[in-house]
Amino acid sequence: MRSMRIVSLNVGLPRMVDWNGEPVTTGIFKEPSPGPIMLRTLNLEGDGQADLSVHGGVSKAVYAYPVEHYEFWKQTLPADYLPDMNLPYGMFGENFTTEGLFEDAVNVGDRFRIGQAELMVSEPRLPCYKLGIKFGRADIIRKFLQSRRTGFYFAVLKEGEVRVGDEIELLSRDASNITISDITRLYAFERDDLATLRRTVQLKALSASWREYFAHQIQKLTG
């Protein structure tokens, strides 16, 4: 892997917003912070998730999004999404805006050191309607998933301080070689890849809910 680092740390507490005439609480609004910030088992200090059934928890403590994807969105999204296509870091609700880490190059279960903390790649981010709230348009959800530029979540193995500019050091690669892109592909694009599905349900680093989902998919395919 090439040089990897934290480009931006982004945090924000849940807030109430209006969406389609209804009040909604969301934690997707993040603001960059230089740090240092203490990374705890469930989140960065000063950060929070509104709906823990979808976001947050041990396997989704930190959301990382590659800075390289920002240029794709600036070139791809219609100009009416945002004035002058201003996409500040944290726009996708990520805690870590990263450089050098990509969905097709990191395995579920890969372990990294960032600052004083140690983390494990756990699963891709699936977009929910709150991404539509952030962009002010519901169709960003479909565009986001179809782009396969999902980013991914980290579980925190060791708490510690992190800050902008910290190198992302690979500690170990998971031997199963199931990438974040593989999980997204099996979920949304190639649901009949039995060989990879059978490998994925054995992946201990993947959350139980994901493994149960794919086990059900295997059952539907095989009868």
Side-chain angles (χ1 to χ4, degrees), residues 4-9 36-40 44 62-65 95-99 101 106 110-121 152-171:
M4 302 173 293
R5 67 187 181 98
I6 299 294
V7 175
S8 183
L9 285 175
I37 300 177
M38 190 68 184
L39 177 57
R40 302 294 187 186
L44 288 160
V62 179
Y63 175 40
Y65 199 71
N95 302 113
F96 291 172
T97 311
T98 61
E99 181 180 67
L101 282 177
V106 292
D110 283 357
R111 299 183 177 213
F112 294 88
R113 179 180 293 114
I114 303 175
Q116 298 175 349
E118 293 183 11
L119 306 93
M120 183 185 73
V121 175
F152 51 88
Y153 287 104
F154 282 114
V156 178
L157 304 178
K158 177 185 175 183
E159 297 182 344
E161 283 188 346
V162 294
R163 67 185 72 206
V164 172
D166 277 347
E167 291 187 6
I168 302 173
E169 177 190 355
L170 178 65
L171 297 177

Side-chain angles (χ1 to χ4, degrees), residues 77-94:
L77 291 177
D80 59 350
Y81 267 73
L82 292 167
D84 301 321
M85 290 312 302
N86 177 30
L87 294 177
Y89 295 145
M91 187 66 198
F92 296 90
E94 78 271 18

Side-chain angles (χ1 to χ4, degrees), residues 1-2 4 100-113 119-121 152 154 157 168-182 199 203 205:
M1 291 184 178
R2 66 177 187 168
M4 302 173 293
L101 282 177
F102 298 96
E103 295 89 345
D104 61 355
V106 292
N107 295 333
V108 175
D110 283 357
R111 299 183 177 213
F112 294 88
R113 179 180 293 114
L119 306 93
M120 183 185 73
V121 175
F152 51 88
F154 282 114
L157 304 178
I168 302 173
E169 177 190 355
L170 178 65
L171 297 177
S172 65
R173 291 277 280 171
D174 189 89
S176 297
N177 288 318
I178 302 292
T179 68
I180 287 293
S181 290
D182 285 328
R199 291 172 55 218
L203 183 55

Side-chain angles (χ1 to χ4, degrees), residues 8-15 26-33 43-44 46-50 55 61 63 70 88-97 125 134:
S8 183
L9 285 175
N10 314 296
V11 295
L13 295 174
R15 67 174 73 168
T26 177
I28 200 171
F29 292 89
K30 310 294 184 187
E31 298 292 337
S33 174
N43 54 25
L44 288 160
D47 191 61
Q49 301 92 9
H55 307 288
Y63 175 40
Y70 273 78
Y89 295 145
M91 187 66 198
F92 296 90
E94 78 271 18
N95 302 113
F96 291 172
T97 311
R125 184 264 189 92
K134 185 68 180 289

